[in-house]
Amino acid sequence: MFQMPEDLFEIVSVLREMGLLHDDHQFAIEKLGGGVSCDVYRVDVEGRSYCVKRALPKLRVAADWCAPVARSHTEVEWITLVSKLDPNLVAEILGEDRGRHLFVMKYYSPEHYPVWKSQLASGVVDVEFARQVGAALARIHAATAGRREVAAQFANDEQFYALRLEPYLLYAAERHADVAVRIRAISESIAGARIALMHGDFSPKNILCGPQGPMILDAETACYGDPAFDFAFCLNHLLLKCVWHREHRGRYLASFDALKDAYLARITWEDADVLAIRAAPLLAAFLLARVDGKSPVEYLADQNKEFVRQIALQFLHNSWLTLDGIAAHWRSRLEGG
């Protein structure tokens, strides 16, 4: 007789408790790959498909990296808040079990909701979609800026430190003494900011290309802080894609400009130039962190990591960084200038 693995049995039990699965239902369940911070399952039940996400206490990376499992609830709260702004921007939540640190949402098939990262990797580089992403991010930041109740709800400083500041910025600082002071100053600035609600992992891997535009996933690192963090975090990935697939660098850089311009044009809570000034050195620090942090990007070969590392260090030694200057120098170096 087939005996279901314990983790799958628990998922089935949770769905039954939520009323999403009944004893007489036919169903199929599978564990999906690719999760670093969570276990993710797909469950097909009577013509419906669910996605179950459960937070892990220790992340699947080479370095020792633990994080509070309460981040699962943080993600549900972020999705719930943003859904009130625009339900098309987020997945539909179907249930939550806080005791087990998991939640259930509607499953969105890659045929109709491809992951933006996958599109970029395959050479499908839609510059207009990048513009929509920048506009959506600015919309979320504008809607949450200066709101004390949101700041209190997402006062997740401990989680944000464990999931972002320590493993990305501070870990990279430890490995590069010559720029450690600057990176730590950037980290302290982020840690002390209370401006708007950050997603915290605003990356192409967490954005679906939906029929209505961007759909944003994986907000477990959400915290009230500096919106420049999300902005620079996403721009960073577009620069890294240029190194991964240099044949598409022109479209990646056009997407960089489109996202940047759309976001900056919609800033209402502060001077856009001031935010851009904060974002530039943060972008440089992210470039370094994604090759020398606890979670380096998986797709760059060693020689490409060295390319990123050397330019990032050069940027961090520059006191007059601008976003346009970073993009122009990136283009020049990629073209052999």
Side-chain angles (χ1 to χ4, degrees):
M1 181 178 178
F2 171 75
Q3 185 173 0
M4 186 179 296
E6 184 177 348
D7 63 328
L8 299 187
F9 181 79
E10 182 179 38
I11 298 303
V12 170
S13 298
V14 168
L15 291 173
R16 285 181 171 143
E17 291 170 10
M18 293 179 177
L20 298 172
L21 174 63
H22 300 294
D23 290 341
D24 58 345
H25 282 164
Q26 295 294 315
F27 70 92
I29 181 171
E30 65 172 317
K31 190 173 184 177
L32 302 179
V36 171
S37 64
C38 299
D39 284 331
V40 182
Y41 304 85
R42 174 181 175 175
V43 185
D44 297 315
V45 182
E46 303 284 319
R48 302 181 304 278
S49 294
Y50 308 132
C51 179
V52 184
K53 184 175 178 183
R54 176 170 54 190
L56 295 170
K58 186 178 187 302
L59 279 63
R60 297 188 180 100
V61 295
D64 186 19
W65 185 359
C66 298
V69 288
R71 63 187 188 274
S72 175
H73 178 55
T74 297
E75 182 168 0
V76 172
E77 287 191 319
W78 186 91
I79 292 173
T80 301
L81 186 154
V82 175
S83 69
K84 295 174 183 176
L85 176 65
D86 185 346
N88 291 317
L89 287 176
V90 290
E92 180 183 354
I93 298 292
L94 302 173
E96 180 186 14
D97 187 323
R98 294 192 187 184
R100 294 184 174 100
H101 311 295
L102 63 78
F103 66 91
V104 184
M105 60 184 176
K106 181 180 176 181
Y107 177 80
Y108 296 88
S109 70
E111 292 79 15
H112 299 101
Y113 291 83
V115 178
W116 190 24
K117 177 183 177 181
S118 299
Q119 296 285 87
L120 292 170
S122 65
V124 180
V125 187
D126 186 342
V127 176
E128 177 55 32
F129 183 79
R131 193 182 313 278
Q132 293 174 17
V133 170
L137 181 61
R139 188 178 178 192
I140 295 168
H141 288 163
T144 59
R147 291 178 57 183
R148 292 184 179 180
E149 76 281 9
V150 178
Q153 182 182 4
F154 291 91
N156 301 321
D157 302 65
E158 180 182 348
Q159 284 184 193
F160 193 75
Y161 178 87
L163 285 163
R164 285 295 170 266
L165 297 182
E166 191 280 327
Y168 283 80
L169 300 181
L170 297 179
Y171 191 83
E174 289 178 3
R175 301 183 67 179
H176 294 279
D178 55 331
V179 292
V181 170
R182 189 167 199 197
I183 293 176
R184 288 175 183 139
I186 293 169
S187 179
E188 289 174 6
S189 175
I190 297 297
R194 298 293 182 272
I195 301 170
L197 180 58
M198 302 178 290
H199 175 280
D201 196 8
F202 199 75
S203 157
K205 72 178 176 62
N206 295 329
I207 299 173
L208 304 183
C209 303
Q212 307 300 320
M215 176 179 284
I216 306 160
L217 306 175
D218 292 347
E220 62 186 38
T221 52
C223 181
Y224 207 81
D226 192 341
F229 187 96
D230 288 341
F231 180 46
F233 199 86
C234 197
L235 290 177
N236 173 52
H237 282 277
L238 292 172
L239 293 185
L240 292 174
K241 299 297 181 292
C242 294
V243 183
W244 187 21
H245 289 296
R246 299 193 184 205
E247 67 274 21
H248 303 308
R249 63 184 181 274
R251 299 288 287 174
Y252 294 147
L253 288 168
S255 296
F256 178 101
D257 287 338
L259 191 155
K260 170 179 65 68
D261 293 344
Y263 180 84
L264 293 175
R266 289 166 175 80
I267 290 178
T268 58
W269 58 91
E270 63 177 300
D271 188 293
D273 290 339
V274 172
L275 187 144
I277 289 171
R278 293 201 307 277
L282 183 54
L283 173 55
F286 281 145
L287 287 169
L288 187 63
R290 293 322 303 267
V291 295
D292 287 333
K294 284 188 177 180
S295 181
V297 289
E298 80 287 356
Y299 51 77
L300 291 183
D302 288 344
Q303 65 269 26
N304 286 333
K305 288 181 180 179
E306 183 61 21
F307 174 90
V308 173
R309 181 180 296 114
Q310 293 306 318
I311 300 179
L313 289 169
Q314 182 181 347
F315 285 154
L316 287 166
H317 283 293
N318 184 343
S319 301
W320 301 100
L321 276 181
T322 66
L323 294 173
D324 289 338
I326 287 175
H329 187 74
W330 202 255
R331 182 190 299 273
S332 175
R333 290 295 299 271
L334 286 166
E335 293 175 353

